Structures are given as C-alpha cells and as structure tokens.
Amino acid sequence: MKAYYAAQLEALAAELRHCLLETPPLSLTEGGLIHDGVDPQLDGLRNQLDDQDAWLAQQEAAERRASGIATLKLQYHRTFGYFLAVSRAKAGAVPEHWIRRQTLANEERFVTPELKAREGQIQQLRARAAQREYDLFCQLRCRVGENADHIRSAARLVAELDAIASLAEVAATSGYCCPEITDPEGPEARLLQIEAGRHPVVEQLLVEEPFTANDLRLGEGGPDSPDLLVLTGPNASGKSCYLRQNGLLQLMAQIGSWIPARSARLGIADRIFTRVGAGDDLAAGHSTFLVEMAETANILHHATPRSLVLLDEIGRGTATFDGLSIAWAVAEHLATAIGSRTIFATHYHELNELASLLPSVGNAQVRSEEHTSELQSPYVISYAVFC
C-alpha cells in the first residue's frame, strides 16, 4: 500500500512539474501559470495571440512608413490599451485618420480605428487564455487536495529525515561525541556528566578564537557530583552561557543527537526548567519581579528529582536582603525537598555557605581571563568551572 501511494505521489509530482511554470506570477487569474504543450485548447489560444503580436509588429512598420515618422512606436498600457506614440515635435505630421488619445510632456499618443478594433480581439483572446489556465490550475489543485493526507505523511517523513541528516552532518563536521544514556532504573539514573562540553551555537559564531570547553558533573549527591551547583562569577564571564549550554546538551542528547563534548553520560530528564533573563507583562499588571517569582514558583511546584533546573539570578529584582532570602530559600528547597539536578547562577556569594550545610550542594566559580586592555565579549573571554 505504501509503495502504491509513493508511486501515486511521484506521478502527481511529475504532472505538476510538467504543467506548472517554475516561477509563476503572484496573481493566479492573469495567466502565466501553465507550460506550452499541456492543453490543446490553451495552445490554440496562445497561437492566435502570437498571430496578433505579428499583426501588431506589421502594423507598427506600416504606420511608420505611412507617416514618415521613423521614431514611431506601437506600445501598450494596462489602462489605455494599444496606442501609437510619437514625440511632441512630430505630432503635427501624423495622418488625419489618427485619433489623439493622450498628451504627455514629451509625447503624443494616438489610436486608429483598426488598432482599436484589433485591441478588442486581443483582449478577448487574453481573457480566454487566462481563464483556461486558471481552470487547468484548479484541476491540478483538486488532484493535490485528494492526496493531501499522503502528502502530509510524506512531508513529515522528509522533515524527519532532513532533521536527522542535519544532526549527523553537524556531528561529523564539528567534533561531536555520542552521549551515553544511563539506565533509567539504575544507580546512575540522575547522572549528568559532561567532559569538555561546548555551546553548540556560540562556538559556531566564534571566528578568531575557539570556544573554551568546560565540564559538568551533577546528580550523584556527593561533593564531586552534587545535586545543586551554586555558580558564581563576575558579570560578562559566561554564567548564563554555561546554563544554556548544558540545557541544550541535555536536550540534544534526549532527541538522539550527538553533542559537542569530549564525552558525556546523561540520565533522562523528565523536564528542563529555566528561569533566565528579565521580562515583564505590564499589560496584565505583572512587573519584572512578579514574572520572575511566578516562573520560579511554577518550577518549585512541578520539578522532580529527575528534572534539570537552570536558574539565573533569582531574587535580583528586589532589595538585597530580600533577594538573598528568596534565593537561599529556593536553592535550599530544590536541594532538600525536591532534589532535582540544578545549576543556580547567582551574584549572592552568601549562597556558597550552603555547600557546608547541605551535602548535596556544591560550589563552582566562573573565572575570566583578560587578554587585552579592552573589554571583550563574554563568549571570547575564556572561562573554566571549578567544583
């Protein structure tokens, strides 16, 4: 059955290529859609139009000889139709049977009774040809509609193949590795271990310098592999990039892609939660801080021990001590009550004390190195994460 539908779609595609021009006009009702040789009736109308074009060329030459105006031109305008155009200097030399149609700054336009009658015939032929083309197009459209379900199925398969091929190509050309997915029921079900990981997008944007690879180990609950990692460091050092990078690597691994790293062992995450950046919804009465707190509350209500949580600067939207209290409470709740794998980027260095109070919390620091006397992009400044 599938082979039958494939043959049917191939035949339909061949018919479309045979009938339709590769670059059709924007309007479907003005012609220019169908190839020659597709429909005998349309070909007959086009042949008659060719004959009319030949007559127009002969008429232009005849009127040029009769009037003695070598610069005379027979032209067409969508509004005024066909006309004979001469310069203002030659307007007094035109034959008496010419009828003035329009006067411009540098040109006079005339028509003749014979030209006007022939214009009506041409317009009728064009209208019939355009209508025939549209009828043929509608027939093709109906045949495509009859196969819409099979076309959608084929399009989904092609899209899936294209996505897989694209992932394979970038993996082969960019030095990706095959991640090892741990047993969901085994002791390493929550492990997130990445060695020399890289951001898949940022590294493509760097031209002069390579992306500085970094490591991550979460999910075992010990000091070397905590459940929650408190990440500190200066502004523009790469903390947000580090969060996004590891979220992308987890996602890429779970969709079956290779990832930009030297090696990786990952457990399946039921969800990836992120609270990164600042945003508001003032039309609904939600300030930046309210949006931040609402998103954080949603994470705390729905995260599980199998989730990956990426938090950036929780509590920065209010007073220092209030924000520190919020950040401390959120981090402590994630580490003790929920136990999800979490990277918590913050400027509150006081949160580093959690590592001495809770065994499932570890500290990391982003260290930047200045290579020139000028400020550089955070993606160019090298950094490393130390637990």
Side-chain angles (χ1 to χ4, degrees):
M1 184 64 69
K2 291 183 179 180
Y4 167 76
Y5 288 132
Q8 190 174 1
L9 292 181
E10 289 178 0
L12 178 60
E15 183 180 5
L16 293 176
R17 286 192 295 269
H18 173 68
C19 295
L20 295 178
L21 293 174
E22 292 185 2
T23 55
L26 295 177
S27 175
L28 299 177
T29 59
E30 296 182 3
L33 298 171
I34 307 298
H35 279 294
D36 291 333
V38 172
D39 179 67
Q41 181 179 344
L42 177 61
D43 290 342
L45 292 171
R46 286 176 172 174
N47 289 334
Q48 294 182 57
L49 285 172
D50 291 340
D51 294 340
Q52 297 295 339
D53 290 339
W55 182 89
L56 290 172
Q58 295 172 2
Q59 188 68 12
E60 181 185 45
E63 293 293 350
R64 187 177 293 137
R65 289 192 301 268
S67 64
I69 303 174
T71 58
L72 178 148
K73 293 182 180 180
L74 195 157
Q75 297 177 332
Y76 176 79
H77 190 276
R78 291 178 62 92
T79 303
F80 301 109
Y82 289 98
F83 57 87
L84 300 168
V86 299
S87 65
R88 292 289 298 274
K90 299 290 185 179
V94 302
E96 294 183 357
H97 68 280
W98 287 16
I99 303 171
R100 180 176 276 101
R101 186 65 178 272
Q102 189 181 21
T103 300
L104 302 179
N106 300 314
E107 184 180 273
E108 293 277 357
R109 295 177 175 178
F110 300 87
V111 296
T112 64
E114 188 175 14
L115 181 61
K116 197 63 181 174
R118 188 61 64 111
E119 178 185 323
Q121 299 177 21
I122 295 173
Q123 296 291 9
Q124 289 181 7
L125 287 172
R126 285 180 176 171
R128 290 171 58 192
Q131 183 61 45
R132 182 57 183 169
E133 285 195 65
Y134 184 68
D135 292 342
L136 294 172
F137 173 80
C138 290
Q139 295 174 15
L140 288 173
R141 186 171 60 186
C142 290
R143 283 197 287 278
V144 171
E146 294 170 356
N147 292 274
D149 292 338
H150 306 310
I151 293 174
R152 292 191 187 97
S153 298
R156 281 192 291 268
L157 293 174
V158 171
E160 182 178 347
L161 181 61
D162 179 63
I164 294 173
S166 298
L167 292 174
E169 180 180 1
V170 73
T173 57
S174 301
Y176 285 16
C177 74
C178 179
E180 177 185 346
I181 304 300
T182 60
D183 183 1
E185 305 299 330
E188 296 183 336
R190 298 175 60 253
L191 180 65
L192 176 51
Q193 178 182 343
I194 299 173
E195 180 182 1
R198 312 185 307 274
H199 194 295
V201 178
V202 174
E203 74 167 354
Q204 300 295 327
L205 302 178
L206 299 179
V207 178
E208 298 181 357
E209 298 186 24
F211 186 90
T212 303
N214 48 76
D215 302 336
L216 176 66
R217 189 178 180 94
L218 290 177
E220 293 181 333
D224 296 330
S225 182
D227 289 336
L228 186 143
L229 188 67
V230 177
L231 179 64
T232 56
N235 286 324
S237 59
K239 297 190 300 299
S240 298
C241 179
Y242 185 71
L243 263 67
R244 289 177 169 89
Q245 168 193 317
N246 289 291
L248 282 173
L249 298 191
Q250 177 76 48
L251 178 62
M252 291 174 66
Q254 290 195 203
I255 66 172
S257 171
W258 287 24
I259 64 174
R262 184 181 301 127
S263 64
R265 298 180 66 217
L266 307 98
I268 298 295
D270 56 4
R271 289 186 181 184
I272 300 176
F273 293 98
T274 62
R275 165 84 278 281
V276 178
D280 57 50
D281 188 4
L282 298 180
H286 297 165
S287 66
T288 302
F289 179 69
L290 180 56
V291 170
E292 177 186 325
M293 291 298 98
E295 293 179 354
T296 303
N298 177 69
I299 293 173
L300 297 179
H301 279 99
H302 295 94
T304 71
R306 302 296 292 271
S307 301
L308 175 61
V309 180
L310 307 172
L311 300 177
D312 193 10
E313 306 294 358
I314 294 296
R316 288 296 297 275
T318 185
T320 301
F321 291 108
D322 293 339
L324 174 58
S325 299
I326 293 170
W328 186 290
V330 170
E332 187 174 20
H333 186 75
L334 285 168
T336 57
I338 298 177
S340 58
R341 297 167 295 174
T342 305
I343 304 177
F344 197 112
T346 182
H347 275 89
Y348 294 130
H349 293 271
E350 294 85 351
L351 293 182
N352 292 134
E353 188 178 349
L354 281 170
S356 62
L357 302 175
L358 301 174
S360 61
V361 177
N363 290 327
Q365 182 183 15
V366 177
R367 296 178 181 176
S368 60
E369 298 177 359
E370 185 177 359
H371 297 290
T372 67
S373 59
E374 299 179 355
L375 288 177
Q376 299 182 8
S377 165
Y379 304 127
V380 176
I381 297 175
S382 63
Y383 66 88
V385 177
F386 300 91
C387 293

